[in-house]
Amino acid sequence: MSASPKTAATGLPDASELQLDANGRLRHLLTLKGLSRVGLTELLDLAESYLSPLHQPVIRSSALRGRTVANLFFEPSTRTRASFELAAKRLGADVLNLDVNMSSRKKGESVLDTIYSLQAMQIDVFVVRDAGAGVTSFIARHVHDHVSVLNGGEAHISHPTQGLLDLLTMRQAKGRFEDLKVVIVGDIAHSRVARSAAEGLNTLAVGELCLVSPDAFAPSPADFPGATLTNDLDAAMRGADVVMALRIQRERIGSYEGIPSIDEYYARFGVTHERMKRAAKGAIVMHPGPMNRGIEIESSLADGPQSRITRQVTNGVAVRMAVLASVMAAREQR
Ligand code: CP
């Protein structure tokens, strides 16, 4: 048995212990927990350097020339998978997108045998999305010393690159975290997005983080130290600078008992123009996607001037470039 401390959320050894190398540099990205304020800020600054205006050519670099990145998505994805692919290509890497449904995992091959086979083809970075808690850390413990594992979304536990792109989006809009009020509303209990955002915001000393959910989706307070938990969205919206709506994670819910109907949900927890009137002047609206318009967010609000939803997607490519470039730079210094 490992003597490592265990997380409240998973009961598994703390992933944050694994991700830095002996020099304190990023080897894997498994969680935002345990990354320092300086480390987070450096990643956000590097991501900024990869952004160009939408109508101009994308920024490219040769930081990953001769390297190969494998996308292993054992759960569906549009944004994360596409942006990791684009990020790797813009850094000069070859990219393998494993078609999981046509892979030998369907014939019963274990995840580790899949990894070992791909590693033998000189994969340098694995990007892994999986419904199982602890799978990305498990893989990280078993890859060769020179190989990095990046978490592309782990169960309800962690989505660190989503957390980074959300932090970048808030920083671009507001320029600071210390006196910001951030409201996240929806299915908090099952949300890896909320967990990673909260971990990053805590490290960056956010002014106030308020998590709003129906009682059926209320998380364990131990998973969100420092945050306020409530089921009263109207009260939470007062003075909010950032409002992030979340999707109901139907794929992670065992029982629907106690969950409001769609109409009731929208009436109590939908982020609408009317509710945004309670927020601070200049407040922004975010959503990690995929969105259910008219359930967790009013459609015209999602497309309106307060929305930063497409900016989040744009930032996703830059953030993933920053993470890929960072793990490769750390490798070259080992
Ligand atoms: N936000 C996010 O993770 O989206 P995808 O599931 O489309 O990757």
Side-chain angles (χ1 to χ4, degrees):
M1 284 286 284
S2 160
S4 305
K6 297 182 187 299
T7 63
T10 64
L12 296 166
D14 193 338
S16 64
E17 289 181 359
L18 272 178
Q19 60 188 0
L20 300 183
D21 65 17
N23 302 319
R25 296 172 66 100
L26 198 64
R27 179 181 164 203
H28 308 291
L29 181 63
L30 307 172
T31 173
L32 294 190
K33 212 183 307 178
L35 293 189
S36 67
R37 186 180 183 134
V38 169
L40 284 179
T41 303
E42 283 176 357
L43 282 171
L44 300 184
D45 291 346
L46 184 57
E48 285 278 8
S49 77
Y50 289 125
L51 286 167
S52 60
L54 281 182
H55 58 279
Q56 286 187 8
V58 296
I59 290 174
R60 295 184 185 278
S61 130
S62 57
L64 267 73
R65 187 187 299 155
R67 306 298 186 185
T68 306
V69 175
N71 273 331
L72 273 52
F73 278 65
F74 300 111
E75 276 194 320
S77 168
T78 296
R79 281 150 287 268
T80 311
R81 188 176 122 149
S83 58
F84 262 117
E85 179 175 357
L86 288 173
K89 287 179 172 170
R90 288 175 191 176
L91 294 171
D94 292 327
V95 180
L96 169 74
N97 288 310
L98 188 73
D99 182 343
V100 171
N101 289 321
M102 293 298 285
S103 78
S104 288
R105 287 215 67 196
K106 291 285 168 193
K107 295 185 270 185
E109 186 168 57
S110 72
V111 69
L112 272 190
D113 282 334
T114 303
I115 295 289
Y116 291 152
S117 296
L118 295 173
Q119 197 170 241
M121 298 179 203
Q122 290 180 277
I123 300 296
D124 299 283
V125 181
F126 289 103
V127 182
V128 180
R129 172 172 286 194
D130 198 279
V135 169
T136 47
S137 307
F138 176 72
I139 293 170
R141 287 175 200 281
H142 287 87
V143 291
H144 287 321
D145 287 348
H146 63 273
V147 172
S148 292
V149 178
L150 308 182
N151 180 348
E154 175 192 357
H156 62 289
I157 304 294
S158 184
H159 195 350
T161 55
Q162 178 72 43
L164 288 171
L165 75 88
D166 289 338
L167 294 174
L168 182 59
T169 306
M170 292 179 209
R171 193 177 79 166
Q172 287 168 342
K174 298 293 167 192
R176 68 200 192 278
F177 292 96
E178 288 77 5
D179 60 347
L180 279 193
K181 179 175 179 179
V182 177
V183 173
I184 304 180
V185 53
D187 179 5
I188 307 291
H190 302 100
S191 177
R192 55 194 177 207
V193 174
R195 281 174 177 74
S196 285
E199 287 160 5
L201 286 167
N202 268 347
T203 303
L204 296 174
V206 72
E208 184 179 354
L209 174 61
C210 188
L211 305 172
V212 187
S213 68
D215 294 340
F217 295 152
S220 162
D223 286 356
F224 290 94
T228 305
L229 309 184
T230 178
N231 61 11
D232 186 344
L233 179 57
D234 287 321
M237 292 287 287
R238 275 189 217 110
D241 299 290
V242 175
V243 180
M244 187 192 299
L246 299 177
R247 180 177 71 88
I248 298 174
Q249 305 270 305
R250 293 186 183 279
E251 66 274 33
R252 298 187 214 293
I253 298 171
S255 155
Y256 282 79
E257 203 175 323
I259 298 175
S261 69
I262 286 177
D263 287 348
E264 192 188 339
Y265 187 87
Y266 187 59
R268 286 191 58 202
F269 300 102
V271 179
T272 60
H273 285 291
E274 191 56 34
R275 285 208 161 98
M276 286 302 290
K277 290 178 186 165
R278 294 168 181 264
K281 192 167 182 291
I284 61 164
V285 177
M286 296 171 58
H287 192 303
M291 274 187 285
N292 296 297
R293 292 170 183 260
I295 298 179
E296 64 256 6
I297 190 166
E298 188 172 357
S299 186
S300 57
L301 182 65
D303 298 329
Q306 288 175 288
S307 174
R308 294 294 180 278
I309 295 170
T310 55
R311 167 49 69 172
Q312 286 173 269
V313 178
T314 302
N315 286 341
V317 181
V319 153
R320 287 156 184 140
M321 289 174 79
V323 171
L324 286 165
S326 295
V327 295
M328 200 51 63
R331 169 178 164 172
E332 281 159 13
Q333 297 208 350
R334 281 201 288 276

